[in-house]
Amino acid sequence: LIKAEEFEQFLHKTFIGQKRFSLEGAEVVVPALHSLVNAAGAAGGAGIEEIVIGTAHRGRITLLNQILNMPVEEIFTLFEDIHKPGQYGGSGDVKYHLGYSTDHGHEDGSSVHVTLVSNPSHLESVDGVVEGKTRAVQSQRRWGSFMRATKRVLPVILHGDAAFSGQGVVAEVFNLSQLRGYHTGGTIHVIINNQIGFTTSSRDSRSTFFPTDVAKMTSVPVFHVNGDDPEAVVYAMDLALRFRQKMSQDVIVDIICYRRHGHNEGDEPSFTNPRMYKL
């Protein structure tokens, strides 16, 4: 948690005014995912060998460094403007679209292969990509049976609260989740619930109280947890993993938090959330 906060603050001081969709206010997502990856491996007892992650922009750069061990030198070069075709990183694409793949090592010497799927600005469009990639890996490796393969490859999707309730592809993916042709053994959904979508308050962006209510169509469990209580968040993640492995169904961890710098680092958050930032 401290590493994540220090990393974000260093970026904020060093690359002033650059958009990075900071995780500040929701830094607890890093220890949450770290605990999940550790618990998923052989040492943790879940027996998962590969994790496929999809996430929106917020916090992607910190996750690349803290969860996928992307070298900081490589991350810092992404803040330099490189638009020359053919040059490494020169496509003109932005840093918060990037994917990455690595082996996340544990203290006992074992490891879990973790892949972060590339994602364009269309946020939840990555959901189906994560499920499709996971299903493909499960189908290729089988490990004796397809159901056994589902226990060894875990899809994890991080969402924003407004996108989760507002983008129809989320409901479509939930509808596919238990069908024979698309089943992946359950997905762990983590919602970075900073209580605002771009500049719109939750009461003006959805007709339900919780952003997770759209998932009730499949009767999956939802754990709402305080983002200022790291131990509770880690406990909820552990519970989610155990449920997924046992029941082969989706499960949601809704982390209720806030965002420190507004939608991006060029915004003034008190314009859009005046009461919250006054508090």
Side-chain angles (χ1 to χ4, degrees):
L1 183 64
I2 293 169
K3 276 184 175 180
E5 189 163 323
E6 290 291 332
F7 182 68
E8 288 279 4
Q9 289 178 3
F10 177 82
L11 290 178
H12 195 62
K13 293 172 186 173
T14 309
F15 303 102
I16 297 169
Q18 290 241 27
K19 289 182 185 179
R20 69 181 194 278
F21 296 94
S22 160
L23 195 60
E24 290 177 87
E27 298 98 331
V28 73
V29 170
V30 168
L33 286 180
H34 207 277
S35 69
L36 177 66
V37 174
N38 285 344
I48 290 168
E49 298 182 17
E50 187 161 347
I51 300 175
V52 181
I53 302 176
T55 182
H57 306 339
R58 188 159 308 285
R60 178 180 290 259
I61 294 169
T62 303
L63 295 183
L64 282 167
N65 175 247
Q66 300 287 330
I67 305 298
L68 287 101
N69 307 316
M70 187 178 189
V72 288
E73 296 88 348
E74 196 170 340
I75 291 171
F76 296 158
T77 62
L78 300 172
F79 286 89
E80 306 295 332
D81 290 326
I82 304 170
H83 300 298
K84 186 177 178 181
Q87 187 174 350
Y88 176 72
S91 67
D93 203 1
V94 288
K95 46 196 165 288
Y96 37 83
H97 288 174
L98 287 177
Y100 201 69
S101 186
T102 190
D103 289 325
H104 185 98
H106 302 311
E107 290 181 2
D108 68 343
S110 64
S111 64
V112 174
H113 189 70
V114 184
T115 300
L116 179 67
V117 179
S118 300
N119 190 13
S121 290
H122 304 286
L123 296 176
E124 301 292 341
S125 62
V126 79
D127 298 4
V129 178
V130 169
E131 302 295 351
K133 183 178 176 68
T134 302
R135 174 81 182 207
V137 174
Q138 292 169 344
S139 298
Q140 283 177 342
R141 300 192 184 169
R142 283 301 170 101
W143 287 288
S145 71
F146 179 71
M147 282 308 296
R148 191 175 298 170
T150 63
K151 302 296 184 187
R152 298 197 183 187
V153 186
L154 170 68
V156 178
I157 305 177
L158 283 80
H159 311 263
D161 52 314
F164 191 85
S165 57
Q167 296 193 358
V169 66
V170 175
E172 293 171 8
V173 169
F174 270 95
N175 181 55
L176 296 170
S177 65
Q178 292 298 308
L179 301 183
R180 282 181 299 173
Y182 303 91
H183 183 60
T184 57
T187 301
I188 295 178
H189 300 268
V190 180
I191 298 180
I192 301 175
N193 187 349
N194 54 33
Q195 306 174 67
I196 190 166
F198 189 18
T199 59
T200 307
S201 63
S202 56
R203 68 181 178 183
D204 292 320
S205 65
R206 61 175 180 265
S207 298
T208 58
F209 185 76
F210 288 114
T212 54
D213 288 340
V214 66
K216 289 181 177 178
M217 62 190 286
T218 50
S219 300
V220 300
V222 181
F223 303 115
H224 304 285
V225 62
N226 181 2
D228 279 341
D229 188 345
E231 288 86 357
V233 174
V234 169
Y235 180 83
M237 292 296 287
D238 182 63
L239 199 57
L241 177 62
R242 290 168 183 265
F243 178 87
R244 188 267 179 187
Q245 290 297 86
K246 179 75 173 177
M247 305 302 293
S248 296
Q249 281 190 300
D250 287 30
V251 57
I252 301 169
V253 178
D254 178 26
I255 301 176
I256 299 171
C257 53
Y258 69 101
R259 62 188 192 200
R260 183 161 289 156
H261 299 295
H263 181 63
N264 62 57
E265 287 62 43
D267 291 348
E268 171 48 65
S270 62
F271 287 174
T272 49
N273 276 39
R275 292 178 67 186
M276 180 187 290
Y277 285 92
K278 187 177 180 181
L279 289 169

